Amino acid sequence: MERKLLFLTMLCCMAFSANACGTDRAHQPTAGNGTTGGNDENKDATVTVNDGMFDLSKGESGKPPVITLSSGYTMPVLGLGTYSLHGNECIDAILSAIKLGYRKFDTATFYGNEKEVGEAIRRSGVPREEFFICTKLYPNEFGRAEEAIEASLSRLNIGYVDLMLLHHPGDNDVEAYKAMERAVAEGKIRSLGVSNYYIKEMTEFLPKVSIKPVMTQNEIHPYYQEKEVREYMHRNGIVIEGWYPFGGRGYTKAIFSNKTIKEIAEAHGKSPAQIILRWDLQHGVAVIPGSSNPAHQKENISVFDFELTPEEMARIDALDRNEKHDWY
């Protein structure tokens, strides 16, 4: 009974605070309360979200700005994706990224590397509260979500998860999300979200849950831009984050070789990767490029010392082909 009362109390509180990203900071957990970026050094880099857009002026190379989610917790706008990283390669990649300034890391039960992610975080020597760790439940876990949540927490072994997502829609997704809501009430998860939910899926999903997702994580790149989805999520105070920012395996070389992107990169003295990431961020799209190469990691986190002009943004916008590179 006490647990049920606690859960209902938390839901009522969240209903008042979760209207949109970047609501009144006085009523939210702040960096000083143990959220990501919890030290004084990062306090000035914390920005709220206005209509989904990010204030990138507070970012520095190696130190992305953090935004306030509708849950009240803060999250860096740029992190490292860990898909396909395993074993020592995964651990070493994360430790390398941490030295370069990364504090946001994205994993999933489906990736099979939660243990490595957790080990790297513990070995880093950086306080846990400075990190923002996201993981995801896969649809084959939705029918036993409580067990899957506990298993994920055990594999990570970092105390709590900053953000847990449903990996993509599937049978029992609402029931799985409700199990995640209970885990929030128990202090095991701080924020909730989804992945690969578009306008139709989100419209149907929102009335069925109590805690609004803080994020949807979708495929977004210059050839598949999801303009209407971005606008919908921004209107509803939901952060949109792009996986496959470079088009995905088998497509990256072609996007990096695109004439428009190369011309803009040359004009700024930047790489095509940096231009694409900056384009995402200026559209209010958080990014999690993946790489185990320290040079590429440094390149990807060094996108806060230049700005694309409206004309350059429009030129990249014009590259949209509605060309989806994955089935999600």
Side-chain angles (χ1 to χ4, degrees), residues 30-279:
T30 63
N33 289 337
T35 61
T36 183
N39 57 24
D40 289 337
E41 289 183 42
N42 284 330
K43 184 167 63 175
D44 291 339
T46 304
V47 295
T48 54
V49 180
N50 181 21
D51 295 330
M53 295 298 105
F54 306 149
D55 180 0
L56 302 177
S57 66
K58 297 183 182 296
E60 303 172 12
S61 293
K63 190 177 179 182
V66 295
I67 56 171
T68 302
L69 303 170
S70 63
S71 61
Y73 291 100
T74 55
M75 180 189 82
V77 298
L78 187 150
L80 184 80
T82 65
Y83 176 71
S84 82
L85 297 177
H86 298 94
N88 288 332
E89 181 187 23
C90 181
I91 295 170
D92 291 343
I94 293 173
L95 290 174
S96 166
I98 291 170
K99 290 180 181 178
L100 292 167
Y102 287 81
R103 293 296 181 267
K104 172 176 163 57
F105 296 94
D106 179 86
T107 182
T109 60
F110 180 74
Y111 299 171
N113 61 10
E114 287 176 308
K115 285 185 178 180
E116 291 98 318
V117 172
E119 182 176 343
I121 297 303
R122 295 192 303 274
R123 282 172 49 179
S124 71
V126 176
R128 166 66 182 94
E129 62 269 18
E130 291 192 19
F131 290 106
F132 190 98
I133 308 301
C134 172
T135 192
K136 315 174 193 69
L137 293 188
Y138 206 65
N140 63 3
E141 299 174 296
F142 291 173
R144 50 182 182 86
E146 290 187 358
E147 177 186 341
I149 291 167
E150 292 300 327
S152 180
L153 289 165
S154 177
R155 287 189 294 268
L156 283 164
N157 192 22
I158 52 175
Y160 61 90
V161 171
D162 295 278
L163 174 62
M164 182 171 282
L165 311 179
L166 300 178
H167 208 133
H168 59 76
D171 292 341
N172 300 311
D173 57 354
V174 172
E175 289 76 9
Y177 194 89
K178 289 183 180 296
M180 288 158 54
E181 290 179 333
R182 291 190 290 273
V184 169
E186 295 167 358
K188 298 173 181 178
I189 304 171
R190 290 189 164 181
S191 300
L192 302 180
V194 296
S195 182
N196 303 298
Y197 279 60
Y198 301 88
I199 295 174
K200 179 179 183 295
E201 291 83 358
M202 190 68 83
T203 301
E204 295 174 352
F205 185 77
L206 286 175
K208 300 176 183 177
V209 300
S210 298
I211 300 176
K212 183 173 68 173
V214 301
M215 171 196 290
T216 184
Q217 190 184 90
N218 290 7
E219 178 181 345
I220 297 178
H221 48 76
Y223 292 164
Y224 189 75
Q225 298 186 16
E226 288 199 0
K227 295 174 184 176
E228 292 183 359
V229 177
R230 290 193 329 243
E231 292 170 0
Y232 172 87
M233 299 303 169
H234 288 166
R235 285 198 307 271
N236 284 277
I238 299 169
V239 173
I240 187 161
E241 183 169 78
W243 52 267
Y244 275 0
F246 306 140
R249 288 159 183 78
Y251 299 94
T252 300
K253 183 177 180 181
I255 286 184
F256 284 178
S257 299
N258 179 275
K259 181 181 177 182
T260 296
I261 292 173
K262 286 179 66 178
E263 287 178 354
I264 296 173
E266 290 170 2
H268 287 275
K270 297 293 182 180
S271 70
Q274 290 172 313
I275 296 302
I276 292 169
L277 294 176
R278 183 74 196 193
W279 167 79

Side-chain angles (χ1 to χ4, degrees), residues 6-39:
L6 175 61
F7 181 50
L8 290 171
T9 301
M10 287 193 68
L11 292 182
C12 290
C13 292
M14 288 180 182
F16 285 104
S17 65
N19 290 328
C21 296
T23 54
D24 187 354
R25 292 287 305 275
H27 301 291
Q28 299 173 347
T30 63
N33 289 337
T35 61
T36 183
N39 57 24

Side-chain angles (χ1 to χ4, degrees), residues 53 56 277-284 306-308 313:
M53 295 298 105
L56 302 177
L277 294 176
R278 183 74 196 193
W279 167 79
D280 273 314
L281 293 169
Q282 286 184 213
H283 271 313
F306 73 102
E307 183 175 359
L308 299 177
M313 291 290 290

